[in-house]
Amino acid sequence: MRPLLLLLALVTAGACAAPLTPAQNATLQRISADSLRGHLSFIASDLLEGRKTPSRGLDLAAEYLAAQYRRAGLEPLGDDDYFQTANWDIVEPDVAGFALALQSGGTRVDLPSGMTSFSPGFGVDLKAAAVLKVQGDDLAPLEALGEAVRGRVVMLEPKVFKPASMEEYEAMLAHRAAMLARLEKLQPALVLAIERSRASGNAGGKGVLGDPEQPKQSALPFLTVHGEMAARFYDGLPAGAGNASVDARMQPARFKPVKLRNVAAILPGSDPVLKNSFIILSAHYDHLGVNPDLAGDNIFNGANDDGSGTVSVIEIASALAASGKPPKRSIVFLNLFGEELGMLGSQYYGRHPLVPLSRTVANLNLEQLGRTDAADGDMTGRAAVTGFGY
């Protein structure tokens, strides 16, 4: 904790290097291991069920954080007291009445929803729609057909990736994104992707978070079909057009409103000029929730990632607020939702900043205080600093 407070002291003072003042030393002494442990024992408790975004446990954590800022006498910074509210949706699949049948000559293959995977968001209602088979995922012959693809069903078998590095993983994502973009331009009625290695799919899953400001749902109806039945049907088709057809029926997704919240407080600066510039001290307070398919202890409590950073933010906030003389710059204390789902809360804050970005000097984001993810990853007395390359 000491290296972080030293860094915070230097940044808020606007100095490149300076010895700690007696007041800053006194602030350091207000940081208590017992207090940190007390906060963490609640934030990472089973009661909060892993703080998944969204969940009741995450809401309980948000209320606890707001209560600590309130107790410390910090000013609220959100649109709703200490909360910055994002009104999003959970997009849920509706598989009632789902039907998918592949037909060619005298062969008919009926596939239940459990043998498919898809992201909820689109509906289809097709009867005897003509099929165009793509060999693998080589789209060039399909693109040569142009307008003839519109309204038909495209069957393909995407390239199988087994990424062993982040670079290979990113290459896989780029390949898939490019393939979907090319397909979307052709406007097929439905894309059926063959996947041989698994016998079952997610049947639309349990729903995905939808940000109304950043819609991710493609206009392309895309289903992955799993198992040998679909693979054998695909293998038996000639490339391009043939006599195969598809019947498909799936309801559009259901949209369930959900309220997500960043938690934000501010300690106004003491310098008449520098108080109009801001330091953000942040940490994400969500984690991975509960895995119902895991036997035994199935709660991912997230004490280290990032309960440790979360309680450090509120402990530093309390120490600075009790100091009697705030730092020269104003300090924003910010706890973010949805980091585990792709830094959703920080992206939302970036689009809806609570203080001007042009006057935000730095954001110190605290993650995994005291240790790394490794079993022997002791970080006592040290801080690993990451970020942009400057």
Side-chain angles (χ1 to χ4, degrees):
M1 185 65 67
R2 183 179 175 87
L4 291 165
L5 278 178
L6 291 174
L7 179 59
L8 184 63
L10 293 175
V11 175
T12 55
C16 293
L20 289 182
T21 67
Q24 289 167 345
N25 269 313
T27 300
L28 278 174
Q29 301 311 310
R30 292 188 181 92
I31 302 295
S32 159
D34 285 338
S35 182
L36 286 163
R37 189 177 297 112
H39 291 312
L40 190 60
S41 68
F42 179 75
I43 289 294
S45 67
D46 283 356
L47 175 68
L48 271 61
E49 297 181 329
R51 309 187 306 279
K52 182 178 180 180
T53 302
S55 69
R56 180 176 179 271
L58 190 73
D59 290 340
L60 286 171
E63 293 290 347
Y64 182 84
L65 296 170
Q68 300 311 310
Y69 294 139
R70 193 176 289 113
R71 178 190 63 81
L74 294 165
E75 295 181 14
L77 193 58
D79 56 86
D80 179 16
D81 200 29
Y82 291 93
F83 303 118
Q84 181 186 34
T85 307
N87 293 303
W88 286 12
D89 297 300
I90 297 178
V91 187
E92 297 179 328
D94 184 354
V95 295
F98 177 95
L100 179 61
L102 316 178
Q103 299 179 76
S104 179
T107 301
R108 178 184 171 97
V109 177
D110 288 278
L111 298 170
S113 62
M115 294 179 70
T116 69
S117 294
F118 58 93
S119 296
F122 63 86
V124 295
D125 189 3
L126 303 174
K127 187 68 175 176
V131 170
L132 290 170
K133 176 183 174 178
V134 171
Q135 200 69 46
D137 60 5
D138 178 10
L139 299 182
L142 196 69
E143 289 170 322
L145 295 174
E147 289 289 322
V149 180
R150 181 179 297 180
R152 297 194 181 191
V153 174
V154 172
M155 292 190 73
L156 50 78
E157 186 169 14
K159 180 180 178 181
V160 176
F161 284 82
K162 295 182 180 179
S165 66
M166 181 56 69
E167 290 77 11
E168 292 178 2
Y169 179 74
E170 290 173 349
M172 177 188 73
L173 295 180
H175 177 84
R176 178 178 171 83
M179 180 185 71
L180 292 176
R182 292 167 67 187
L183 283 167
E184 190 166 349
K185 289 181 180 179
L186 297 170
Q187 299 182 13
L190 177 65
V191 176
L192 296 179
I194 302 298
E195 200 278 314
R196 300 172 188 267
S197 64
R198 289 165 44 202
S200 61
N202 69 5
K206 298 178 181 178
V208 295
L209 270 175
D211 177 359
E213 296 177 357
Q214 300 282 310
K216 294 181 179 179
Q217 179 60 45
S218 168
L220 180 71
F222 190 101
L223 275 173
T224 299
V225 289
H226 301 274
E228 281 303 312
M229 285 195 301
R232 283 197 299 268
F233 182 90
Y234 172 82
D235 291 340
L237 298 180
N243 65 352
S245 65
V246 168
D247 295 342
R249 184 173 65 252
M250 187 167 67
Q251 299 294 331
R254 297 181 297 242
F255 288 79
K256 178 182 176 182
V258 62
K259 181 184 291 186
L260 303 173
R261 299 184 294 181
N262 290 327
V263 188
I266 189 169
L267 179 64
S270 58
D271 185 274
V273 175
L274 289 177
K275 71 178 182 180
N276 295 314
S277 61
F278 305 90
I279 305 295
I280 299 175
L281 189 66
S282 65
H284 73 91
Y285 71 104
D286 66 306
H287 197 53
L288 300 176
V290 179
N291 182 353
D293 299 323
L294 188 66
D297 183 359
N298 60 359
I299 299 174
F300 294 90
N301 300 85
N304 189 39
D305 182 12
D306 189 27
S308 61
T310 297
V311 302
S312 296
V313 169
I314 58 177
E315 185 75 355
I316 292 171
S318 297
L320 289 174
S323 68
K325 184 178 180 182
K328 294 181 179 181
R329 288 192 170 96
S330 297
I331 313 296
V332 174
F333 302 98
L334 182 63
N335 302 105
L336 301 157
F337 71 84
E339 194 274 350
E340 301 289 3
L341 299 180
M343 295 177 282
L344 302 182
S346 56
Q347 290 186 56
Y348 186 84
Y349 181 89
R351 298 198 305 270
H352 304 280
L354 298 172
V355 296
L357 294 179
S358 61
R359 298 206 299 272
T360 300
V361 175
N363 176 193
L364 304 178
N365 186 65
L366 307 187
E367 180 96 11
Q368 301 184 22
L369 272 289
R371 55 160 289 181
T372 67
D373 269 340
D376 59 350
D378 183 23
M379 291 291 289
T380 304
R382 295 182 292 135
V385 182
T386 61
F388 291 109
Y390 55 81

